[in-house]
Amino acid sequence: MSRPAPGGPPQADHPNVSPAATGYSATEWDLITGLPGRVIALATQPGPGRPYPGVAAGLAGLEAVAAGRAFDSDLVRAVVAAIYTRHEEATAPQPQPRPADLVDVLAACRAVVRILDRRADRADSAAYRQWVQSVAARVCRAGSAVLPDGTLAPVDRRLLDRIGGALALR
């Protein structure tokens, strides 16, 4: 089992990926591994013009996270492994998270982009950002009031556009 180069992408064959093994600081790694969950929480919140998206939307988000295991990116696979490891190791009751705030989640997206610009190779950075956007898109599609022409409700389209912009995808 090889170790990643400092600042390089984590190796996918590490079953318990730690910040030290990835070259990211603990704070950076927490932000990178926590962003998909924050995006799911945001996209599953009801709001103005957006009824409660339902359990199916949350499940779609979890499925989208799990789909990251098949990505052709060491970084995305390592993030998914870290998410699952964190979940499996959580034996004590976890504190209830506060509701996701759009401004906070968009700021976290921009912070992750800055971290990845400094530390990840371009392919891993792009794959991670696209994966997080795909998580949001799957949640919105599962919970949105899809219009007769098959498009998402405008409120969901705006949310995806804002997340994509914060992830430097647009």
Side-chain angles (χ1 to χ4, degrees):
M1 195 179 302
S2 62
R3 294 197 50 100
Q11 298 296 314
D13 56 353
H14 288 300
N16 295 314
V17 179
S18 68
T22 65
Y24 296 97
S25 73
T27 301
E28 291 169 335
W29 191 239
D30 285 346
L31 190 58
I32 291 167
T33 59
L35 186 58
R38 293 177 75 182
V39 166
I40 291 170
L42 178 65
T44 57
Q45 280 186 320
R50 186 164 205 268
Y52 176 68
V55 174
L59 292 175
L62 296 176
E63 290 171 1
V65 168
R69 292 182 291 196
F71 265 60
D72 187 24
S73 165
D74 287 342
L75 176 61
V76 173
R77 289 191 309 267
V79 168
V80 174
I83 291 168
Y84 277 90
T85 298
R86 184 180 299 153
H87 176 73
E88 290 168 0
E89 292 175 351
T91 56
Q94 300 298 308
Q96 291 296 327
R98 64 186 173 101
D101 175 76
L102 176 64
V103 173
D104 289 343
V105 173
L106 296 178
C109 288
R110 288 188 289 273
V112 166
V113 168
R114 286 190 300 273
I115 293 165
L116 296 178
D117 282 349
R118 286 192 323 265
R119 296 193 178 259
D121 70 34
R122 287 185 179 187
D124 271 338
S125 174
Y128 173 88
R129 292 178 292 117
Q130 290 166 354
W131 171 64
V132 171
Q133 177 74 1
S134 74
V135 169
R138 285 179 69 175
V139 172
C140 286
R141 275 195 304 273
S144 179
V146 177
L147 301 176
D149 64 357
T151 61
L152 291 176
V155 67
D156 290 310
R157 183 74 254 152
R158 281 190 302 274
L159 176 62
L160 291 177
D161 288 345
R162 295 197 62 190
I163 290 171
L167 291 169
L169 294 173
R170 308 222 188 271

